[in-house]
Every structure is written in C-alpha cells, then in structure tokens.
C-alpha cells in the first residue's frame, strides 16, 4: 500500500469480512488532489475489517511523531472495528497528524 501510485482505487467486496493485525499506511505518492481511495464495490453489507489484537486496525500517516508529508487518503463504504481489550484501545483507525 505504501508504494501504490497516486489516484489508485483499492476496492473491497461488499459482504466480505477480514480479521487484520495493524495495517500501517505511509504512502508518499498520494496527495489530496490524487488520493489513495479505499472503498467498497458490489451489493450487501459494507466490507468489515476487525482488528485482531489490542489497539488499531488501520494506521495512516506512519507512527507517532512522523513528519513525512503523506496526505491524501479517502475511505468510503467500509466498516472498521477495533477490538482492543483495554479501555481506550478500541480504535478501528488511527490518523497521525503533524
């Protein structure tokens, strides 16, 4: 995901469900004018991504304190669920902003 070209559409089938560890995306190719779009296609329930451990399922923008300029992500028609076991650790998505 970090090397996909700007303007890429990554589509997931409606009705699908995936258990994921942390997926960290830091793509320096994308910008607001040419984003990486993660979206759904088809009919049925939104694609479901459920994190498998404590914390975050999807992380955009690198890790805490990262100063890389990688803006340009669009998420549309997806269901993201965090499944952490401690209070405050239930995020489906984490955005790093610097």
């Amino acid at each position: 995901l970090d090397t996909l070209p700007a303007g890429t559409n990554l589509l997931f089938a409606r009705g699908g469900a995936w258990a994921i560890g942390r997926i960290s995306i830091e793509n320096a190719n994308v910008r607001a004018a040419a984003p990486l779009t993660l979206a759904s296609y088809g009919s049925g329930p939104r694609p479901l991504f459920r994190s498998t451990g404590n914390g975050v399922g999807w992380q955009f923008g690198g890790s805490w304190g990262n100063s890389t300029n990688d803006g340009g992500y669009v998420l549309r028609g997806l269901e993201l669920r965090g499944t952490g076991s401690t209070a405050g650790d239930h995020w489906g998505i984490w955005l790093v902003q610097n």
Side-chain angles (χ1 to χ4, degrees), residues 2 6-7 10 19-20 22 26 28 40 46 52 59 61 69 76 79 85 98:
D2 291 343
L10 188 57
I20 61 171
R22 179 176 299 192
E26 183 181 0
S40 61
R46 293 177 297 185
T52 57
Q59 179 173 313
N69 184 7
R76 187 178 302 127
E79 186 169 341
S85 60
N98 294 306

Side-chain angles (χ1 to χ4, degrees), residues 12-94:
F12 300 94
R14 284 186 165 268
W18 296 268
I20 61 171
R22 179 176 299 192
I23 296 175
S24 182
I25 301 174
E26 183 181 0
N27 188 324
N29 299 323
V30 300
R31 297 285 180 260
L36 169 60
T37 300
L38 304 164
S40 61
Y41 73 91
S43 59
R46 293 177 297 185
L48 170 63
F49 293 90
R50 179 175 289 134
S51 65
T52 57
N54 289 345
V56 179
W58 293 82
Q59 179 173 313
F60 292 87
S63 60
W64 180 259
N66 185 327
S67 61
T68 302
N69 184 7
D70 63 323
Y73 304 103
V74 174
L75 283 75
R76 187 178 302 127
L78 305 176
E79 186 169 341
L80 311 175
R81 291 189 194 168
T83 57
S85 60
T86 23
D89 255 359
H90 302 282
W91 305 307
I93 187 169
W94 175 270

